[in-house]
Amino acid sequence: GAVVSQHPSRVICKSGTSVKIECRSLDFQATTMFWYRQFPKKSLMLMATSNEGSKATYEQGVEKDKFLINHASLTLSTLTVTSAHPEDSSFYICMTTEAFFGQGTRLTVV
Amino acid sequence: AQTVTQSQPEMSVQEAETVTLSCTYDTSESDYYLFWYKQPPSRQMILVIRQEAYKQQNATENRFSVNFQKAAKSFSLKISDSQLGDAAMYFCALRGGGSNYKLTFGKGTLLTVNP
């Protein structure tokens, strides 16, 4: 149980464009999803908590307008990196309340 | 605030030997959960073992076991009969009880297994 499918696994985009990352819960209803960011050889830092049907809760220092989170259904949460810049290049990963993770997305902004 | 400290940035072990990874934590909650995750080069987060704070018995999963010392706020991971496939980054994590499900992670320990 608690299988989460995240995609894309890798994406390369140009500076100034937006990228959407999806996390789908395959065998359960996820009312809450957590989004983490991980820099190379660093730990996972919580960016925001996604709640179905309501606004996401962002951690201190995370730009709400840059990292748009949508949780419109019980099986899908999305993270959109808007107007991406090279410093947004990172590994992004979602996690359920049961502490199971998606496969992660490696974002490279060129 | 919750904190998790892993004091060993890197560790190495010989194949078939035993290694222990350290983790200490701090929380004001009485009900919480502790986790060890393995992150191989693929960066997939793999749950290794989980411990509920209210349980006194140390959790075990095959070759993996923990030494949970609640009073000392210590949660070390022991890997027995180390295998080459155990080489990875290991993260210790803490989750509060109740409806607070978010995890706080330590900085990780990179484990190398030597043949």
Side-chain angles (χ1 to χ4, degrees), chain A residues 28-95:
Chain A
F28 69 105
Q29 294 182 330
T31 57
T32 300
M33 195 76 78
F34 299 96
W35 287 94
Y36 286 84
R37 180 175 183 175
Q38 185 182 31
F39 289 104
K41 299 186 179 181
K42 297 292 184 182
S43 188
L44 285 79
M45 299 300 296
L46 181 65
M47 298 175 65
T49 303
S50 164
N51 299 297
E52 188 269 334
S54 64
K55 290 184 178 180
T57 304
Y58 290 82
E59 296 299 302
Q60 190 173 9
V62 177
E63 297 177 61
K64 300 179 183 181
D65 295 333
K66 165 160 280 291
F67 300 101
L68 298 179
I69 289 175
N70 185 278
H71 197 145
S73 77
L74 288 171
T75 59
L76 176 63
S77 176
T78 62
L79 167 66
T80 300
V81 183
T82 64
S83 187
H85 288 102
E87 57 265 31
D88 298 326
S89 298
S90 192
F91 185 72
Y92 296 88
I93 192 166
C94 61
M95 185 193 81

Side-chain angles (χ1 to χ4, degrees), chain B residues 6 8 12-13 18-19 22 26 29 33 37 39 53 57 62 64-65 71 80 84 95 99-101 106-107 112-113:
Chain B
Q6 293 179 250
Q8 306 154 316
S12 64
V13 62
T18 296
V19 64
S22 301
D26 193 22
E29 300 192 41
Y33 300 81
Y37 283 91
Q39 189 180 45
Q57 187 172 6
N62 301 314
F64 298 88
S65 61
S80 304
L84 296 178
R95 190 186 91 184
S99 60
N100 180 13
Y101 295 104
K107 291 187 176 181
T112 302
V113 181

